[in-house]
Amino acid sequence: RRLLTVITKAQLFVLQDLRPVFEACYDPEEGCLDGTRVELLSEFMQWILNIGDAPNSTGPMYKRILTKNIVWLYGLAGSGKSTVVNTVAMLAEQQGLPVTSFCCKRDKQDSWCSVDRLFLMLAYQISKFNTDYRSIIVNVLRGPKQFKILRGVPDAQIEELFSKAMSQLSAPLLPHVIVIDALDECAGPQAKVIKGLVAIAKAAPWIKILITSRDEDAIREAFREAPSDIYQDININDLQDVHTDIQ
């Protein structure tokens, strides 16, 4: 169930300037097979819903309790990261939670899969759920910073769409979930994406952010510069059920 709010025609007209990319939204048809990744998915849902401890398991990775606002799930190509993120997004929506997503695709780098479009798409989706945020963003897009934001200047997008705008919001009753899949396939400075997501986590601690990618140097280095109280990571290839599930 999507918790979309009522948008006026005037607001929608302005928001269309963000050039939403609906092709980038998560695909519930590309989730995990029934009965696979049960413990990992349960852990993610407890993290999102702030419920208790992680499930009991003899697997070493499941002893880790997810408590930070950002989780980076990394691993080799073909290890199931995308199926996990699609399933987490689907389960969150089934719980009635607002979900914002951007799933990167390498073959779309020349059209929409870029850092600047990612930020615009996040702002567009969040504005569909949060009326206060929408009002702020509409005013921003009518103001003097419009040109830099819409022309894809990442630092301006981070500052105006996330740091300043979200710091004005009150925490809603329900957590909001953001999923970014295959960040390593996104064109542009991927470190800027992490910087932007950290800005969101600082300004809006009620937002839970799940990022997947391969373990690439530029991404890992960007996370090293993030505050340790903001994020934690999981290597999907270390999980005890990964080989069984792939088979």
Side-chain angles (χ1 to χ4, degrees), residues 95-127:
Q95 291 286 332
L97 303 180
V99 175
T100 293
S101 58
F102 195 96
C103 300
C104 305
K105 297 179 181 179
R106 196 177 304 277
D107 61 352
K108 299 295 183 180
Q109 288 184 349
D110 293 334
S111 53
W112 55 260
C113 188
S114 60
V115 171
D116 61 312
R117 296 296 295 278
L118 185 153
F119 285 147
L120 296 180
M121 184 58 172
L122 294 187
Y124 178 85
Q125 291 182 79
I126 296 170
S127 71

PDB file of all heavy atoms in Angstrom, residues 95-127:
ATOM      1  N   GLN A  95       4.317  -3.550   4.326  1.00  0.00           N
ATOM      2  CA  GLN A  95       4.113  -3.099   5.703  1.00  0.00           C
ATOM      3  C   GLN A  95       3.488  -1.708   5.755  1.00  0.00           C
ATOM      4  O   GLN A  95       3.284  -1.155   6.827  1.00  0.00           O
ATOM      5  CB  GLN A  95       5.443  -3.092   6.462  1.00  0.00           C
ATOM      6  CG  GLN A  95       6.027  -4.465   6.735  1.00  0.00           C
ATOM      7  CD  GLN A  95       5.283  -5.198   7.824  1.00  0.00           C
ATOM      8  OE1 GLN A  95       4.697  -4.600   8.711  1.00  0.00           O
ATOM      9  NE2 GLN A  95       5.286  -6.525   7.754  1.00  0.00           N
ATOM     10  N   GLY A  96       3.200  -1.139   4.591  1.00  0.00           N
ATOM     11  CA  GLY A  96       2.586   0.181   4.546  1.00  0.00           C
ATOM     12  C   GLY A  96       3.575   1.320   4.687  1.00  0.00           C
ATOM     13  O   GLY A  96       3.177   2.443   5.032  1.00  0.00           O
ATOM     14  N   LEU A  97       4.853   1.063   4.407  1.00  0.00           N
ATOM     15  CA  LEU A  97       5.872   2.091   4.557  1.00  0.00           C
ATOM     16  C   LEU A  97       6.154   2.777   3.220  1.00  0.00           C
ATOM     17  O   LEU A  97       6.100   2.142   2.168  1.00  0.00           O
ATOM     18  CB  LEU A  97       7.170   1.473   5.086  1.00  0.00           C
ATOM     19  CG  LEU A  97       7.084   0.721   6.406  1.00  0.00           C
ATOM     20  CD1 LEU A  97       8.450   0.178   6.772  1.00  0.00           C
ATOM     21  CD2 LEU A  97       6.548   1.614   7.509  1.00  0.00           C
ATOM     22  N   PRO A  98       6.466   4.056   3.247  1.00  0.00           N
ATOM     23  CA  PRO A  98       6.868   4.744   2.017  1.00  0.00           C
ATOM     24  C   PRO A  98       8.251   4.271   1.579  1.00  0.00           C
ATOM     25  O   PRO A  98       9.173   4.179   2.390  1.00  0.00           O
ATOM     26  CB  PRO A  98       6.876   6.223   2.417  1.00  0.00           C
ATOM     27  CG  PRO A  98       7.075   6.215   3.901  1.00  0.00           C
ATOM     28  CD  PRO A  98       6.416   4.974   4.413  1.00  0.00           C
ATOM     29  N   VAL A  99       8.386   3.960   0.311  1.00  0.00           N
ATOM     30  CA  VAL A  99       9.643   3.451  -0.239  1.00  0.00           C
ATOM     31  C   VAL A  99      10.065   4.301  -1.433  1.00  0.00           C
ATOM     32  O   VAL A  99       9.272   4.533  -2.347  1.00  0.00           O
ATOM     33  CB  VAL A  99       9.515   1.977  -0.667  1.00  0.00           C
ATOM     34  CG1 VAL A  99      10.795   1.509  -1.359  1.00  0.00           C
ATOM     35  CG2 VAL A  99       9.194   1.090   0.528  1.00  0.00           C
ATOM     36  N   THR A 100      11.297   4.739  -1.413  1.00  0.00           N
ATOM     37  CA  THR A 100      11.903   5.480  -2.521  1.00  0.00           C
ATOM     38  C   THR A 100      13.038   4.630  -3.077  1.00  0.00           C
ATOM     39  O   THR A 100      13.818   4.068  -2.302  1.00  0.00           O
ATOM     40  CB  THR A 100      12.447   6.831  -2.015  1.00  0.00           C
ATOM     41  OG1 THR A 100      11.361   7.648  -1.611  1.00  0.00           O
ATOM     42  CG2 THR A 100      13.237   7.541  -3.094  1.00  0.00           C
ATOM     43  N   SER A 101      13.140   4.520  -4.390  1.00  0.00           N
ATOM     44  CA  SER A 101      14.138   3.615  -4.954  1.00  0.00           C
ATOM     45  C   SER A 101      14.790   4.194  -6.196  1.00  0.00           C
ATOM     46  O   SER A 101      14.199   4.999  -6.916  1.00  0.00           O
ATOM     47  CB  SER A 101      13.502   2.255  -5.300  1.00  0.00           C
ATOM     48  OG  SER A 101      12.430   2.409  -6.221  1.00  0.00           O
ATOM     49  N   PHE A 102      16.015   3.743  -6.424  1.00  0.00           N
ATOM     50  CA  PHE A 102      16.734   4.067  -7.660  1.00  0.00           C
ATOM     51  C   PHE A 102      17.660   2.895  -7.949  1.00  0.00           C
ATOM     52  O   PHE A 102      18.631   2.662  -7.222  1.00  0.00           O
ATOM     53  CB  PHE A 102      17.537   5.359  -7.533  1.00  0.00           C
ATOM     54  CG  PHE A 102      18.001   5.908  -8.853  1.00  0.00           C
ATOM     55  CD1 PHE A 102      17.262   6.896  -9.501  1.00  0.00           C
ATOM     56  CD2 PHE A 102      19.156   5.444  -9.465  1.00  0.00           C
ATOM     57  CE1 PHE A 102      17.673   7.407 -10.726  1.00  0.00           C
ATOM     58  CE2 PHE A 102      19.572   5.951 -10.683  1.00  0.00           C
ATOM     59  CZ  PHE A 102      18.832   6.938 -11.317  1.00  0.00           C
ATOM     60  N   CYS A 103      17.330   2.155  -9.000  1.00  0.00           N
ATOM     61  CA  CYS A 103      18.095   0.963  -9.363  1.00  0.00           C
ATOM     62  C   CYS A 103      18.930   1.268 -10.600  1.00  0.00           C
ATOM     63  O   CYS A 103      18.387   1.475 -11.695  1.00  0.00           O
ATOM     64  CB  CYS A 103      17.160  -0.211  -9.622  1.00  0.00           C
ATOM     65  SG  CYS A 103      16.154  -0.645  -8.177  1.00  0.00           S
ATOM     66  N   CYS A 104      20.230   1.324 -10.421  1.00  0.00           N
ATOM     67  CA  CYS A 104      21.131   1.729 -11.494  1.00  0.00           C
ATOM     68  C   CYS A 104      21.331   0.609 -12.511  1.00  0.00           C
ATOM     69  O   CYS A 104      21.315  -0.577 -12.164  1.00  0.00           O
ATOM     70  CB  CYS A 104      22.480   2.125 -10.908  1.00  0.00           C
ATOM     71  SG  CYS A 104      22.378   3.404  -9.631  1.00  0.00           S
ATOM     72  N   LYS A 105      21.530   1.006 -13.754  1.00  0.00           N
ATOM     73  CA  LYS A 105      21.771   0.058 -14.844  1.00  0.00           C
ATOM     74  C   LYS A 105      22.869   0.621 -15.731  1.00  0.00           C
ATOM     75  O   LYS A 105      22.753   1.724 -16.257  1.00  0.00           O
ATOM     76  CB  LYS A 105      20.490  -0.167 -15.648  1.00  0.00           C
ATOM     77  CG  LYS A 105      19.363  -0.788 -14.829  1.00  0.00           C
ATOM     78  CD  LYS A 105      18.102  -0.976 -15.660  1.00  0.00           C
ATOM     79  CE  LYS A 105      16.984  -1.565 -14.820  1.00  0.00           C
ATOM     80  NZ  LYS A 105      15.732  -1.732 -15.610  1.00  0.00           N
ATOM     81  N   ARG A 106      23.905  -0.169 -15.921  1.00  0.00           N
ATOM     82  CA  ARG A 106      25.074   0.305 -16.668  1.00  0.00           C
ATOM     83  C   ARG A 106      24.728   0.699 -18.103  1.00  0.00           C
ATOM     84  O   ARG A 106      25.269   1.663 -18.650  1.00  0.00           O
ATOM     85  CB  ARG A 106      26.160  -0.779 -16.675  1.00  0.00           C
ATOM     86  CG  ARG A 106      27.530  -0.278 -17.065  1.00  0.00           C
ATOM     87  CD  ARG A 106      28.564  -1.392 -16.969  1.00  0.00           C
ATOM     88  NE  ARG A 106      28.603  -2.003 -15.661  1.00  0.00           N
ATOM     89  CZ  ARG A 106      29.271  -1.509 -14.618  1.00  0.00           C
ATOM     90  NH1 ARG A 106      29.925  -0.364 -14.749  1.00  0.00           N
ATOM     91  NH2 ARG A 106      29.279  -2.134 -13.451  1.00  0.00           N
ATOM     92  N   ASP A 107      23.793  -0.047 -18.722  1.00  0.00           N
ATOM     93  CA  ASP A 107      23.453   0.250 -20.110  1.00  0.00           C
ATOM     94  C   ASP A 107      22.554   1.470 -20.263  1.00  0.00           C
ATOM     95  O   ASP A 107      22.168   1.821 -21.380  1.00  0.00           O
ATOM     96  CB  ASP A 107      22.809  -0.968 -20.787  1.00  0.00           C
ATOM     97  CG  ASP A 107      21.512  -1.391 -20.109  1.00  0.00           C
ATOM     98  OD1 ASP A 107      21.182  -0.845 -19.035  1.00  0.00           O
ATOM     99  OD2 ASP A 107      20.821  -2.256 -20.664  1.00  0.00           O
ATOM    100  N   LYS A 108      22.214   2.119 -19.135  1.00  0.00           N
ATOM    101  CA  LYS A 108      21.389   3.335 -19.181  1.00  0.00           C
ATOM    102  C   LYS A 108      22.175   4.580 -18.767  1.00  0.00           C
ATOM    103  O   LYS A 108      21.588   5.630 -18.521  1.00  0.00           O
ATOM    104  CB  LYS A 108      20.170   3.175 -18.274  1.00  0.00           C
ATOM    105  CG  LYS A 108      19.242   2.026 -18.667  1.00  0.00           C
ATOM    106  CD  LYS A 108      18.597   2.257 -20.024  1.00  0.00           C
ATOM    107  CE  LYS A 108      17.624   1.141 -20.361  1.00  0.00           C
ATOM    108  NZ  LYS A 108      16.990   1.347 -21.686  1.00  0.00           N
ATOM    109  N   GLN A 109      23.497   4.462 -18.706  1.00  0.00           N
ATOM    110  CA  GLN A 109      24.310   5.595 -18.256  1.00  0.00           C
ATOM    111  C   GLN A 109      24.201   6.798 -19.184  1.00  0.00           C
ATOM    112  O   GLN A 109      24.323   7.938 -18.748  1.00  0.00           O
ATOM    113  CB  GLN A 109      25.776   5.168 -18.129  1.00  0.00           C
ATOM    114  CG  GLN A 109      26.052   4.244 -16.948  1.00  0.00           C
ATOM    115  CD  GLN A 109      27.520   3.928 -16.795  1.00  0.00           C
ATOM    116  OE1 GLN A 109      28.335   4.219 -17.666  1.00  0.00           O
ATOM    117  NE2 GLN A 109      27.885   3.336 -15.666  1.00  0.00           N
ATOM    118  N   ASP A 110      23.958   6.550 -20.451  1.00  0.00           N
ATOM    119  CA  ASP A 110      23.870   7.654 -21.410  1.00  0.00           C
ATOM    120  C   ASP A 110      22.499   8.328 -21.419  1.00  0.00           C
ATOM    121  O   ASP A 110      22.324   9.369 -22.060  1.00  0.00           O
ATOM    122  CB  ASP A 110      24.193   7.162 -22.830  1.00  0.00           C
ATOM    123  CG  ASP A 110      25.644   6.745 -22.980  1.00  0.00           C
ATOM    124  OD1 ASP A 110      26.481   7.274 -22.224  1.00  0.00           O
ATOM    125  OD2 ASP A 110      25.927   5.890 -23.831  1.00  0.00           O
ATOM    126  N   SER A 111      21.532   7.725 -20.737  1.00  0.00           N
ATOM    127  CA  SER A 111      20.185   8.318 -20.740  1.00  0.00           C
ATOM    128  C   SER A 111      19.792   8.846 -19.362  1.00  0.00           C
ATOM    129  O   SER A 111      19.664  10.050 -19.163  1.00  0.00           O
ATOM    130  CB  SER A 111      19.155   7.303 -21.263  1.00  0.00           C
ATOM    131  OG  SER A 111      19.245   6.072 -20.547  1.00  0.00           O
ATOM    132  N   TRP A 112      19.646   7.951 -18.373  1.00  0.00           N
ATOM    133  CA  TRP A 112      19.162   8.439 -17.082  1.00  0.00           C
ATOM    134  C   TRP A 112      19.962   7.960 -15.867  1.00  0.00           C
ATOM    135  O   TRP A 112      19.773   8.479 -14.772  1.00  0.00           O
ATOM    136  CB  TRP A 112      17.700   8.035 -16.874  1.00  0.00           C
ATOM    137  CG  TRP A 112      17.416   6.549 -17.006  1.00  0.00           C
ATOM    138  CD1 TRP A 112      16.898   5.915 -18.095  1.00  0.00           C
ATOM    139  CD2 TRP A 112      17.620   5.530 -16.015  1.00  0.00           C
ATOM    140  NE1 TRP A 112      16.775   4.570 -17.852  1.00  0.00           N
ATOM    141  CE2 TRP A 112      17.192   4.311 -16.585  1.00  0.00           C
ATOM    142  CE3 TRP A 112      18.094   5.532 -14.713  1.00  0.00           C
ATOM    143  CZ2 TRP A 112      17.251   3.095 -15.899  1.00  0.00           C
ATOM    144  CZ3 TRP A 112      18.165   4.329 -14.020  1.00  0.00           C
ATOM    145  CH2 TRP A 112      17.740   3.124 -14.619  1.00  0.00           C
ATOM    146  N   CYS A 113      20.839   6.992 -16.052  1.00  0.00           N
ATOM    147  CA  CYS A 113      21.525   6.417 -14.886  1.00  0.00           C
ATOM    148  C   CYS A 113      22.772   7.233 -14.541  1.00  0.00           C
ATOM    149  O   CYS A 113      23.895   6.857 -14.862  1.00  0.00           O
ATOM    150  CB  CYS A 113      21.899   4.963 -15.150  1.00  0.00           C
ATOM    151  SG  CYS A 113      22.544   4.141 -13.672  1.00  0.00           S
ATOM    152  N   SER A 114      22.552   8.348 -13.863  1.00  0.00           N
ATOM    153  CA  SER A 114      23.643   9.244 -13.495  1.00  0.00           C
ATOM    154  C   SER A 114      23.383   9.826 -12.114  1.00  0.00           C
ATOM    155  O   SER A 114      22.252   9.791 -11.613  1.00  0.00           O
ATOM    156  CB  SER A 114      23.778  10.372 -14.515  1.00  0.00           C
ATOM    157  OG  SER A 114      22.578  11.121 -14.586  1.00  0.00           O
ATOM    158  N   VAL A 115      24.435  10.353 -11.509  1.00  0.00           N
ATOM    159  CA  VAL A 115      24.338  10.872 -10.147  1.00  0.00           C
ATOM    160  C   VAL A 115      23.307  11.989 -10.047  1.00  0.00           C
ATOM    161  O   VAL A 115      22.486  12.018  -9.128  1.00  0.00           O
ATOM    162  CB  VAL A 115      25.720  11.356  -9.664  1.00  0.00           C
ATOM    163  CG1 VAL A 115      25.599  12.101  -8.335  1.00  0.00           C
ATOM    164  CG2 VAL A 115      26.674  10.174  -9.523  1.00  0.00           C
ATOM    165  N   ASP A 116      23.333  12.933 -10.983  1.00  0.00           N
ATOM    166  CA  ASP A 116      22.415  14.066 -10.888  1.00  0.00           C
ATOM    167  C   ASP A 116      20.961  13.635 -11.033  1.00  0.00           C
ATOM    168  O   ASP A 116      20.084  14.143 -10.326  1.00  0.00           O
ATOM    169  CB  ASP A 116      22.769  15.124 -11.940  1.00  0.00           C
ATOM    170  CG  ASP A 116      22.671  14.589 -13.356  1.00  0.00           C
ATOM    171  OD1 ASP A 116      23.208  13.509 -13.619  1.00  0.00           O
ATOM    172  OD2 ASP A 116      22.058  15.267 -14.198  1.00  0.00           O
ATOM    173  N   ARG A 117      20.681  12.674 -11.922  1.00  0.00           N
ATOM    174  CA  ARG A 117      19.308  12.202 -12.072  1.00  0.00           C
ATOM    175  C   ARG A 117      18.874  11.398 -10.846  1.00  0.00           C
ATOM    176  O   ARG A 117      17.691  11.401 -10.471  1.00  0.00           O
ATOM    177  CB  ARG A 117      19.168  11.356 -13.337  1.00  0.00           C
ATOM    178  CG  ARG A 117      19.426  12.100 -14.637  1.00  0.00           C
ATOM    179  CD  ARG A 117      18.410  13.209 -14.879  1.00  0.00           C
ATOM    180  NE  ARG A 117      17.063  12.726 -15.085  1.00  0.00           N
ATOM    181  CZ  ARG A 117      16.582  12.268 -16.241  1.00  0.00           C
ATOM    182  NH1 ARG A 117      17.373  12.226 -17.309  1.00  0.00           N
ATOM    183  NH2 ARG A 117      15.328  11.880 -16.346  1.00  0.00           N
ATOM    184  N   LEU A 118      19.817  10.716 -10.224  1.00  0.00           N
ATOM    185  CA  LEU A 118      19.504   9.960  -9.005  1.00  0.00           C
ATOM    186  C   LEU A 118      18.992  10.894  -7.918  1.00  0.00           C
ATOM    187  O   LEU A 118      17.947  10.638  -7.296  1.00  0.00           O
ATOM    188  CB  LEU A 118      20.748   9.197  -8.541  1.00  0.00           C
ATOM    189  CG  LEU A 118      20.601   8.253  -7.341  1.00  0.00           C
ATOM    190  CD1 LEU A 118      21.653   7.138  -7.420  1.00  0.00           C
ATOM    191  CD2 LEU A 118      20.742   8.969  -6.005  1.00  0.00           C
ATOM    192  N   PHE A 119      19.690  11.993  -7.684  1.00  0.00           N
ATOM    193  CA  PHE A 119      19.271  12.928  -6.646  1.00  0.00           C
ATOM    194  C   PHE A 119      17.896  13.526  -6.954  1.00  0.00           C
ATOM    195  O   PHE A 119      17.054  13.674  -6.070  1.00  0.00           O
ATOM    196  CB  PHE A 119      20.299  14.043  -6.487  1.00  0.00           C
ATOM    197  CG  PHE A 119      21.551  13.625  -5.768  1.00  0.00           C
ATOM    198  CD1 PHE A 119      22.772  14.174  -6.093  1.00  0.00           C
ATOM    199  CD2 PHE A 119      21.503  12.698  -4.743  1.00  0.00           C
ATOM    200  CE1 PHE A 119      23.932  13.806  -5.423  1.00  0.00           C
ATOM    201  CE2 PHE A 119      22.647  12.309  -4.067  1.00  0.00           C
ATOM    202  CZ  PHE A 119      23.868  12.867  -4.412  1.00  0.00           C
ATOM    203  N   LEU A 120      17.673  13.869  -8.221  1.00  0.00           N
ATOM    204  CA  LEU A 120      16.386  14.451  -8.605  1.00  0.00           C
ATOM    205  C   LEU A 120      15.256  13.441  -8.402  1.00  0.00           C
ATOM    206  O   LEU A 120      14.162  13.797  -7.949  1.00  0.00           O
ATOM    207  CB  LEU A 120      16.422  14.920 -10.058  1.00  0.00           C
ATOM    208  CG  LEU A 120      17.391  16.052 -10.395  1.00  0.00           C
ATOM    209  CD1 LEU A 120      17.305  16.400 -11.873  1.00  0.00           C
ATOM    210  CD2 LEU A 120      17.119  17.289  -9.539  1.00  0.00           C
ATOM    211  N   MET A 121      15.527  12.185  -8.718  1.00  0.00           N
ATOM    212  CA  MET A 121      14.509  11.151  -8.572  1.00  0.00           C
ATOM    213  C   MET A 121      14.186  10.893  -7.105  1.00  0.00           C
ATOM    214  O   MET A 121      13.028  10.692  -6.731  1.00  0.00           O
ATOM    215  CB  MET A 121      14.981   9.860  -9.248  1.00  0.00           C
ATOM    216  CG  MET A 121      13.963   8.736  -9.233  1.00  0.00           C
ATOM    217  SD  MET A 121      12.391   9.166 -10.024  1.00  0.00           S
ATOM    218  CE  MET A 121      11.580   7.556 -10.011  1.00  0.00           C
ATOM    219  N   LEU A 122      15.201  10.902  -6.251  1.00  0.00           N
ATOM    220  CA  LEU A 122      14.951  10.736  -4.817  1.00  0.00           C
ATOM    221  C   LEU A 122      14.054  11.863  -4.300  1.00  0.00           C
ATOM    222  O   LEU A 122      13.088  11.624  -3.567  1.00  0.00           O
ATOM    223  CB  LEU A 122      16.265  10.707  -4.038  1.00  0.00           C
ATOM    224  CG  LEU A 122      17.213   9.530  -4.260  1.00  0.00           C
ATOM    225  CD1 LEU A 122      18.363   9.599  -3.270  1.00  0.00           C
ATOM    226  CD2 LEU A 122      16.503   8.198  -4.163  1.00  0.00           C
ATOM    227  N   ALA A 123      14.399  13.094  -4.677  1.00  0.00           N
ATOM    228  CA  ALA A 123      13.604  14.236  -4.219  1.00  0.00           C
ATOM    229  C   ALA A 123      12.162  14.133  -4.719  1.00  0.00           C
ATOM    230  O   ALA A 123      11.218  14.418  -3.977  1.00  0.00           O
ATOM    231  CB  ALA A 123      14.239  15.542  -4.702  1.00  0.00           C
ATOM    232  N   TYR A 124      12.004  13.721  -5.959  1.00  0.00           N
ATOM    233  CA  TYR A 124      10.659  13.587  -6.530  1.00  0.00           C
ATOM    234  C   TYR A 124       9.842  12.551  -5.757  1.00  0.00           C
ATOM    235  O   TYR A 124       8.689  12.805  -5.376  1.00  0.00           O
ATOM    236  CB  TYR A 124      10.755  13.180  -8.000  1.00  0.00           C
ATOM    237  CG  TYR A 124       9.414  12.976  -8.661  1.00  0.00           C
ATOM    238  CD1 TYR A 124       8.718  14.054  -9.203  1.00  0.00           C
ATOM    239  CD2 TYR A 124       8.836  11.711  -8.744  1.00  0.00           C
ATOM    240  CE1 TYR A 124       7.481  13.870  -9.810  1.00  0.00           C
ATOM    241  CE2 TYR A 124       7.607  11.521  -9.345  1.00  0.00           C
ATOM    242  CZ  TYR A 124       6.935  12.603  -9.874  1.00  0.00           C
ATOM    243  OH  TYR A 124       5.698  12.415 -10.463  1.00  0.00           O
ATOM    244  N   GLN A 125      10.426  11.401  -5.514  1.00  0.00           N
ATOM    245  CA  GLN A 125       9.684  10.326  -4.842  1.00  0.00           C
ATOM    246  C   GLN A 125       9.359  10.679  -3.394  1.00  0.00           C
ATOM    247  O   GLN A 125       8.241  10.442  -2.926  1.00  0.00           O
ATOM    248  CB  GLN A 125      10.487   9.026  -4.892  1.00  0.00           C
ATOM    249  CG  GLN A 125      10.596   8.424  -6.279  1.00  0.00           C
ATOM    250  CD  GLN A 125      11.346   7.116  -6.254  1.00  0.00           C
ATOM    251  OE1 GLN A 125      10.827   6.077  -5.896  1.00  0.00           O
ATOM    252  NE2 GLN A 125      12.613   7.174  -6.630  1.00  0.00           N
ATOM    253  N   ILE A 126      10.332  11.238  -2.680  1.00  0.00           N
ATOM    254  CA  ILE A 126      10.074  11.603  -1.286  1.00  0.00           C
ATOM    255  C   ILE A 126       8.969  12.646  -1.199  1.00  0.00           C
ATOM    256  O   ILE A 126       8.124  12.616  -0.306  1.00  0.00           O
ATOM    257  CB  ILE A 126      11.365  12.103  -0.608  1.00  0.00           C
ATOM    258  CG1 ILE A 126      12.403  10.976  -0.555  1.00  0.00           C
ATOM    259  CG2 ILE A 126      11.076  12.611   0.804  1.00  0.00           C
ATOM    260  CD1 ILE A 126      13.789  11.427  -0.118  1.00  0.00           C
ATOM    261  N   SER A 127       8.955  13.567  -2.160  1.00  0.00           N
ATOM    262  CA  SER A 127       7.928  14.614  -2.152  1.00  0.00           C
ATOM    263  C   SER A 127       6.525  14.050  -2.369  1.00  0.00           C
ATOM    264  O   SER A 127       5.540  14.665  -1.963  1.00  0.00           O
ATOM    265  CB  SER A 127       8.238  15.658  -3.229  1.00  0.00           C
ATOM    266  OG  SER A 127       8.019  15.131  -4.527  1.00  0.00           O
TER     267      SER A 127
END
